[in-house]
């Protein structure tokens, strides 16, 4: 895609080579930053695993066929976007309480579900990607996301996610989060 969120993608604004170099630099900076914090090695493993999964998912998306089916769609989205969302959620839990395994598992599940939902919405908006031929998947993706939120130790925190997903259609702004 030459545009991401209505702005030129790095490869379109500059060149494919510069875009790859910029992404390499961002990965190096992020791993360097993580290495300097408490639980850095564990966090670096979570992030690097997610980056590899994202690359594998993007390759699967590029190779997809119109008849991929729901199971393949889930695997592609779980790798492509779900892995990054799951890692983001996991990193937050590791920072807050590295021994909270139940919260970590719930956060990863929520991140994967949110990744599917995000990818579905993104592909519908762009008219391309792994979700464009699976419009009937949205109700199931919504259900899985709702179930993952209810399994999280503090489901009220996800009012903000619902607010962000609703965009300008949101009726009210959630109360500030208390950590």
């Amino acid at each position: 895609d030459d545009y991401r969120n209505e702005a030129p993608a790095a490869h379109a604004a500059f060149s494919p080579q510069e875009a790859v170099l910029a992404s390499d630099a961002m990965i190096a900076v992020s791993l360097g930053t993580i290495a300097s914090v408490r639980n850095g090695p564990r966090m670096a493993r979570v992030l690097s695993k997610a980056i590899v999964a994202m690359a594998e998912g993007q390759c699967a998306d590029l190779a997809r066929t119109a008849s991929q089916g729901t199971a393949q769609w889930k695997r592609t989205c779980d790798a492509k976007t779900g892995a990054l969302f799951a890692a983001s959620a996991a990193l937050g839990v590791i920072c807050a309480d590295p021994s909270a395994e139940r919260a970590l598992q719930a956060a990863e599940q929520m991140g994967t579900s949110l990744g599917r939902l995000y990818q579905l919405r993104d592909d519908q908006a762009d008219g391309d990607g792994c979700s464009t031929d699976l419009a009937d998947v949205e109700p199931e993706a919504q259900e899985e996301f709702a179930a993952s939120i209810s399994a999280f130790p503090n489901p009220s925190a996800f009012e903000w996610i619902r607010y962000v997903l609703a965009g300008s259609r949101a009726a009210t702004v959630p109360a500030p989060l208390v950590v």
Side-chain angles (χ1 to χ4, degrees), residues 121 159-172:
R121 297 271 170 84
E159 290 304 315
W160 276 98
I161 293 173
R162 288 188 185 103
Y163 175 73
V164 170
L165 284 174
S168 60
R169 299 176 306 226
T172 60

Side-chain angles (χ1 to χ4, degrees), residues 80-126:
K80 181 178 169 179
T81 312
L84 295 176
F85 280 61
S88 294
L91 292 173
V93 170
I94 292 168
C95 283
D97 182 358
S99 66
E101 289 301 318
R102 180 173 163 258
L104 181 63
Q105 290 173 353
E108 288 173 336
Q109 182 178 349
M110 181 278 305
T112 300
S113 297
L114 181 58
R116 282 184 194 167
L117 192 55
Y118 175 87
Q119 192 64 54
L120 183 67
R121 297 271 170 84
D122 182 65
D123 290 348
Q124 289 170 341
D126 293 346

Side-chain angles (χ1 to χ4, degrees), residues 102 106 110 145-162 174 177:
R102 180 173 163 258
M110 181 278 305
F145 179 60
S148 72
I149 287 175
S150 65
F152 201 75
N154 182 5
S156 64
F158 295 102
E159 290 304 315
W160 276 98
I161 293 173
R162 288 188 185 103
L177 290 178

Side-chain angles (χ1 to χ4, degrees), residues 130-148:
C130 65
S131 310
T132 54
D133 53 346
L134 292 166
D136 59 326
V137 171
E138 183 160 10
E140 182 182 344
Q142 288 274 11
E143 234 174 74
E144 288 176 357
F145 179 60
S148 72

Side-chain angles (χ1 to χ4, degrees), residues 67-83:
S67 61
Q68 68 178 351
T70 302
Q72 181 60 38
W73 172 81
K74 285 181 180 181
R75 283 191 297 276
T76 299
C77 290
D78 288 358
K80 181 178 169 179
T81 312

